[in-house]
Amino acid sequence: MALGISRSQVVIGLVVLAGGAAAAYFLTRPPALPAGFATGAGRIEATEVDVATKVPGRLLRLQPREGATLRADEVVGELDALDVAAQLRAAEAQVRQAQEAVREAREGVRKGEADQRLAQRTLARSQELVQRGFISKDRLDRDLSAEDGSVAALAAARARVDEADAAQAAAVARADSLRANVGETVLKAPIDGRVLYRLAEPGQVLPAGGKVLTLLDFSDVFLYVFLPANEAGRVALGSEARIVADAWPDQVIPAHVSFVSPRAQFTPREVETRNEREKLMFRVRLKVDADWLQANVQRITVGTPAVAWFRLDPAQPWPDKLGKR
């Protein structure tokens, strides 16, 4: 059945809703501060860090559930390592073969050096005997050729040593890489944090880079607010700030300014009038102080609405309600 609602009734309803929203805003907005201060609203956020696989494989186990608190390097899960372990055993066998090839090549160098010394002595005797007329020059030519051959053979033996050394280095590098991959089948938390999402379950086959957990890094809790140009230009990097979250209205959270955007947001194409200039808004990032975080990490709830307060004039003392921590 169609509802008999006229356009005028819809318009009146929208006006009432808008008026109610405006009234709620003015009833809940913080009281005015003295000159030299600014304020903005936002939501408390924390950096998100993913726990992901470096190698592909089947997920054997994954312990943490959403909401669990983890320490850096804590083991959180494990991939099936049978395939990588088999590849590692084959690579280690290739390393042993390469080591034996290096040993044989070096033995060849020692034999080549001995053959060269013998050829040099033989040539020296032949030269002496030719001068005394005891042998023909043909024998001397053969000994000269043999000495040249020993030099070439020694050079080739030394080249084989270089090749064997390179092959051994490549085999060792492959084994080291596979050994590291075996280690990567054990999944560890990269940071201290709280599990926000559990993204995989045991039995799943994951590709390299497959995500299993998303952690919240509570060492980097921050708030983004937007300030007009006339206020953002007076906010200094590193300056003190205060945050009051809706969840803890009686708690003043100390923070500092860690970023002021060099580019305006909500910017019209052309700035010609005062009203258009007032539309220029700049993003400002506040980072919650580490000492407060360490003492209150269990209280942090990401997404909580909050109000930030800035001191534009460093000479102005904080009001009593914002000076406490």
Side-chain angles (χ1 to χ4, degrees), residues 38 55 126 173 202 275 289 297:
V55 295
S126 296
N275 289 338
D289 288 356
V297 65

Side-chain angles (χ1 to χ4, degrees), residues 84-302:
V84 182
Q87 294 180 45
L88 175 60
R89 289 194 297 272
E92 289 173 340
Q94 291 175 349
V95 169
R96 291 190 292 272
Q97 290 177 347
Q99 290 171 339
E100 180 62 22
V102 169
R103 187 190 66 78
E104 290 177 357
R106 289 176 179 167
E107 287 293 336
V109 168
R110 284 191 285 272
K111 182 178 182 303
E113 290 172 342
D115 290 344
Q116 185 183 39
R117 288 193 296 269
L118 176 61
Q120 289 172 340
R121 288 196 295 269
T122 300
L123 177 61
R125 286 196 297 269
S126 296
Q127 290 172 335
E128 181 181 355
L129 292 174
V130 165
Q131 290 175 357
R132 296 171 62 180
F134 292 137
I135 62 174
S136 67
K137 288 187 177 181
D138 290 340
R139 175 63 185 272
L140 177 62
D141 291 338
R142 289 195 297 271
D143 290 342
L144 279 170
S145 177
E147 199 273 339
D148 290 340
S150 69
V151 171
L154 179 57
R158 286 171 174 165
R160 284 193 292 273
V161 169
D162 291 340
E163 292 176 1
D165 284 338
Q168 179 182 359
V172 169
R174 174 166 171 74
D176 288 344
S177 175
L178 289 169
R179 197 172 293 112
N181 286 344
V182 170
E184 292 293 342
T185 60
V186 177
L187 305 177
K188 298 181 180 180
I191 59 165
D192 294 346
R194 188 184 301 163
V195 178
L196 178 63
Y197 301 119
R198 179 178 165 111
L199 303 172
E201 294 297 332
Q204 286 184 242
V205 177
L206 300 173
K211 298 177 183 179
V212 297
L213 297 172
T214 297
L215 307 182
L216 290 175
D217 182 2
F218 284 136
S219 67
D220 187 20
V221 177
F222 55 90
L223 182 79
Y224 279 117
V225 301
F226 289 89
L227 295 179
N230 62 332
E231 293 179 349
R234 299 170 62 190
V235 174
L237 284 177
S239 61
E240 282 187 300
R242 300 286 189 267
I243 297 172
V244 178
D246 289 6
W248 324 297
D250 58 340
Q251 174 72 60
V252 177
I253 304 173
H256 63 274
V257 178
S258 62
F259 171 78
V260 179
S261 175
R263 168 179 280 180
Q265 310 287 325
F266 316 128
T267 309
R269 290 183 177 274
E270 296 180 2
V271 180
E272 297 178 353
T273 68
R274 178 179 179 84
N275 289 338
E276 286 177 333
R277 288 198 301 272
E278 289 173 352
K279 295 177 186 177
L280 297 174
M281 301 294 285
F282 290 80
R283 186 163 54 100
V284 179
R285 187 181 192 268
L286 300 180
K287 183 172 181 178
V288 177
D289 288 356
D291 292 342
W292 188 92
L293 282 174
Q294 188 172 4
N296 297 274
V297 65
Q298 295 301 327
R299 301 177 62 185
I300 296 297
T301 303
V302 173

